[in-house]
Amino acid sequence: MPKFQPERWGLSWGGWLDNRHGEWWLLAQLALIAAHLLPPWPAPGAWGYAWPLPLALAGAILLMLGLVLAVQAFWGLGSSLTPLPDPIPGAPLVTSGAYGRCRHPLYQAVLLCSLGVSLALGSLLHLALLLALVAVLGGKARREERALELAYPDYAAYRARTPAIIPRLPWLDWRAL
Protein backbone atom coordinates (compact mmCIF):
# COMPACT_ATOMS: atom_id res chain seq x y z
CA MET A 1 0.00 0.00 0.00
CA PRO A 2 1.49 3.40 -0.97
CA LYS A 3 2.25 5.56 2.05
CA PHE A 4 2.33 9.32 2.58
CA GLN A 5 6.10 9.94 2.63
CA PRO A 6 6.90 13.64 2.11
CA GLU A 7 10.55 13.24 3.14
CA ARG A 8 11.11 10.33 0.73
CA TRP A 9 9.47 12.31 -2.08
CA GLY A 10 11.87 15.20 -1.59
CA LEU A 11 9.26 17.70 -0.43
CA SER A 12 10.82 20.58 1.49
CA TRP A 13 10.15 24.24 2.26
CA GLY A 14 13.10 25.15 0.07
CA GLY A 15 11.62 23.19 -2.83
CA TRP A 16 8.35 25.11 -2.59
CA LEU A 17 10.40 28.30 -2.92
CA ASP A 18 12.81 27.30 -5.71
CA ASN A 19 10.99 24.42 -7.49
CA ARG A 20 13.98 22.07 -7.12
CA HIS A 21 11.92 18.91 -7.62
CA GLY A 22 9.06 20.35 -9.67
CA GLU A 23 6.99 21.50 -6.71
CA TRP A 24 5.41 24.32 -8.75
CA TRP A 25 3.98 21.80 -11.21
CA LEU A 26 2.40 19.98 -8.28
CA LEU A 27 1.05 23.24 -6.84
CA ALA A 28 -0.53 24.21 -10.18
CA GLN A 29 -2.03 20.72 -10.54
CA LEU A 30 -3.53 20.76 -7.03
CA ALA A 31 -4.93 24.28 -7.45
CA LEU A 32 -6.66 23.32 -10.71
CA ILE A 33 -8.07 20.12 -9.22
CA ALA A 34 -9.35 22.02 -6.17
CA ALA A 35 -10.93 24.65 -8.45
CA HIS A 36 -13.25 21.93 -9.75
CA LEU A 37 -15.16 22.36 -6.48
CA LEU A 38 -16.33 25.80 -7.66
CA PRO A 39 -19.95 26.04 -8.77
CA PRO A 40 -20.68 25.92 -12.49
CA TRP A 41 -20.31 29.19 -14.35
CA PRO A 42 -22.28 30.29 -16.11
CA ALA A 43 -25.04 28.36 -14.40
CA PRO A 44 -26.49 25.77 -16.82
CA GLY A 45 -29.91 27.48 -16.90
CA ALA A 46 -28.41 30.94 -17.51
CA TRP A 47 -28.65 30.48 -21.29
CA GLY A 48 -32.35 29.78 -21.19
CA TYR A 49 -32.31 25.99 -21.50
CA ALA A 50 -31.72 23.06 -19.19
CA TRP A 51 -28.47 21.13 -19.50
CA PRO A 52 -29.30 17.82 -21.25
CA LEU A 53 -29.64 14.94 -18.80
CA PRO A 54 -27.76 12.48 -21.09
CA LEU A 55 -24.70 14.78 -21.04
CA ALA A 56 -24.92 15.15 -17.27
CA LEU A 57 -25.14 11.37 -16.85
CA ALA A 58 -22.28 10.77 -19.29
CA GLY A 59 -20.21 13.23 -17.28
CA ALA A 60 -21.00 11.45 -14.02
CA ILE A 61 -19.99 8.12 -15.58
CA LEU A 62 -16.71 9.58 -16.87
CA LEU A 63 -15.99 11.01 -13.42
CA MET A 64 -16.57 7.60 -11.80
CA LEU A 65 -14.43 5.86 -14.45
CA GLY A 66 -11.66 8.40 -13.86
CA LEU A 67 -11.76 7.74 -10.12
CA VAL A 68 -11.51 3.97 -10.68
CA LEU A 69 -8.56 4.44 -13.06
CA ALA A 70 -6.87 6.77 -10.55
CA VAL A 71 -7.11 4.17 -7.78
CA GLN A 72 -5.76 1.50 -10.12
CA ALA A 73 -2.78 3.67 -11.13
CA PHE A 74 -2.17 4.81 -7.55
CA TRP A 75 -1.94 1.23 -6.24
CA GLY A 76 0.11 0.13 -9.24
CA LEU A 77 2.94 2.53 -8.40
CA GLY A 78 3.54 1.13 -4.93
CA SER A 79 6.86 2.38 -3.53
CA SER A 80 7.49 4.44 -6.68
CA LEU A 81 4.59 6.80 -5.88
CA THR A 82 5.51 10.48 -5.69
CA PRO A 83 3.43 13.57 -6.44
CA LEU A 84 6.52 15.34 -7.80
CA PRO A 85 7.85 14.98 -11.34
CA ASP A 86 11.25 13.78 -10.06
CA PRO A 87 11.37 10.01 -9.48
CA ILE A 88 12.29 8.62 -6.08
CA PRO A 89 15.96 7.56 -6.16
CA GLY A 90 16.25 3.77 -6.23
CA ALA A 91 12.52 3.17 -6.74
CA PRO A 92 11.64 0.66 -9.47
CA LEU A 93 10.32 1.79 -12.86
CA VAL A 94 6.71 0.58 -13.18
CA THR A 95 5.72 -0.43 -16.73
CA SER A 96 2.94 -2.96 -16.16
CA GLY A 97 -0.72 -2.79 -15.19
CA ALA A 98 -2.08 0.72 -15.75
CA TYR A 99 1.46 1.77 -16.71
CA GLY A 100 1.39 -0.70 -19.60
CA ARG A 101 -1.60 1.20 -21.03
CA CYS A 102 0.01 4.65 -20.78
CA ARG A 103 3.05 6.20 -19.11
CA HIS A 104 1.03 8.61 -16.95
CA PRO A 105 -2.26 6.91 -16.03
CA LEU A 106 -2.80 9.12 -12.97
CA TYR A 107 -2.72 12.18 -15.22
CA GLN A 108 -5.04 10.41 -17.65
CA ALA A 109 -7.45 9.70 -14.78
CA VAL A 110 -7.35 13.32 -13.57
CA LEU A 111 -8.17 14.55 -17.08
CA LEU A 112 -11.01 12.04 -17.39
CA CYS A 113 -12.43 13.20 -14.05
CA SER A 114 -12.16 16.83 -15.15
CA LEU A 115 -13.91 16.06 -18.45
CA GLY A 116 -16.62 14.25 -16.48
CA VAL A 117 -17.19 17.23 -14.18
CA SER A 118 -17.31 19.59 -17.17
CA LEU A 119 -19.93 17.47 -18.91
CA ALA A 120 -21.93 16.79 -15.76
CA LEU A 121 -22.16 20.49 -14.88
CA GLY A 122 -22.31 22.04 -18.34
CA SER A 123 -19.89 24.70 -17.13
CA LEU A 124 -17.58 26.82 -19.25
CA LEU A 125 -15.48 27.47 -16.15
CA HIS A 126 -14.91 23.75 -15.71
CA LEU A 127 -14.11 23.35 -19.40
CA ALA A 128 -11.45 26.06 -18.97
CA LEU A 129 -10.10 24.17 -15.92
CA LEU A 130 -9.89 21.01 -18.04
CA LEU A 131 -7.89 22.84 -20.71
CA ALA A 132 -5.60 24.31 -18.06
CA LEU A 133 -5.07 20.81 -16.61
CA VAL A 134 -4.15 19.54 -20.08
CA ALA A 135 -1.44 22.22 -20.27
CA VAL A 136 -0.15 21.68 -16.73
CA LEU A 137 -0.16 17.87 -16.79
CA GLY A 138 1.39 17.78 -20.26
CA GLY A 139 4.19 20.06 -19.05
CA LYS A 140 4.64 18.19 -15.79
CA ALA A 141 4.82 14.85 -17.62
CA ARG A 142 7.50 16.18 -19.98
CA ARG A 143 9.61 17.36 -17.04
CA GLU A 144 9.07 14.01 -15.33
CA GLU A 145 10.16 12.11 -18.41
CA ARG A 146 13.46 14.00 -18.67
CA ALA A 147 14.25 12.82 -15.13
CA LEU A 148 13.03 9.27 -15.82
CA GLU A 149 15.29 8.97 -18.86
CA LEU A 150 18.29 9.90 -16.70
CA ALA A 151 17.30 7.50 -13.91
CA TYR A 152 16.30 4.43 -15.96
CA PRO A 153 18.31 3.23 -18.98
CA ASP A 154 15.34 1.28 -20.39
CA TYR A 155 12.93 4.24 -20.17
CA ALA A 156 13.51 5.29 -23.80
CA ALA A 157 12.25 1.91 -25.08
CA TYR A 158 9.20 2.07 -22.78
CA ARG A 159 8.52 5.61 -23.97
CA ALA A 160 8.71 4.57 -27.63
CA ARG A 161 6.10 1.82 -27.29
CA THR A 162 3.68 3.31 -24.72
CA PRO A 163 1.42 6.37 -25.12
CA ALA A 164 2.12 9.23 -22.74
CA ILE A 165 -1.31 10.28 -21.44
CA ILE A 166 -3.95 10.09 -24.22
CA PRO A 167 -2.96 8.09 -27.32
CA ARG A 168 -2.62 10.05 -30.58
CA LEU A 169 -3.35 13.49 -29.10
CA PRO A 170 -0.28 15.62 -29.93
CA TRP A 171 0.08 17.53 -26.63
CA LEU A 172 -0.75 14.38 -24.62
CA ASP A 173 1.21 11.75 -26.57
CA TRP A 174 4.67 12.62 -27.81
CA ARG A 175 6.13 9.19 -28.62
CA ALA A 176 7.26 10.33 -32.07
CA LEU A 177 9.29 13.26 -30.69
Side-chain angles (χ1 to χ4, degrees):
M1 171 188 207
K3 291 190 275 185
F4 180 72
Q5 304 173 320
E7 66 286 342
R8 185 164 185 247
W9 295 336
L11 286 172
S12 68
W13 289 114
W16 291 113
L17 295 174
D18 64 15
N19 196 37
R20 65 184 67 152
H21 297 292
E23 289 86 352
W24 297 349
W25 288 108
L26 174 60
L27 187 61
Q29 174 186 346
L30 293 175
L32 289 169
I33 290 169
H36 280 74
L37 297 173
L38 293 170
W41 182 87
W47 294 354
Y49 69 93
W51 188 246
L53 182 61
L55 284 178
L57 291 175
I61 290 169
L62 287 176
L63 173 62
M64 292 299 128
L65 177 61
L67 292 173
V68 168
L69 292 175
V71 168
Q72 179 189 34
F74 178 83
W75 290 113
L77 268 179
S79 65
S80 296
L81 177 70
T82 176
L84 297 171
D86 286 357
I88 296 173
L93 176 64
V94 178
T95 60
S96 60
Y99 294 84
R101 184 182 73 246
C102 73
R103 298 190 308 270
H104 303 280
L106 278 169
Y107 300 167
Q108 183 184 64
V110 167
L111 292 176
L112 196 57
C113 288
S114 179
L115 176 61
V117 169
S118 298
L119 281 175
L121 297 178
S123 167
L124 292 178
L125 168 65
H126 291 83
L127 178 60
L129 292 172
L130 168 61
L131 296 175
L133 269 174
V134 165
V136 166
L137 293 178
K140 183 180 177 190
R142 283 172 170 75
R143 184 190 193 285
E144 185 175 336
E145 292 200 353
R146 288 190 297 274
L148 289 167
E149 284 186 296
L150 294 173
Y152 302 101
D154 52 346
Y155 191 80
Y158 170 61
R159 176 183 168 169
R161 71 177 179 270
T162 311
I165 301 172
I166 308 287
R168 295 176 293 284
L169 285 181
W171 179 252
L172 296 174
D173 186 11
W174 52 91
R175 284 178 286 179
L177 300 177

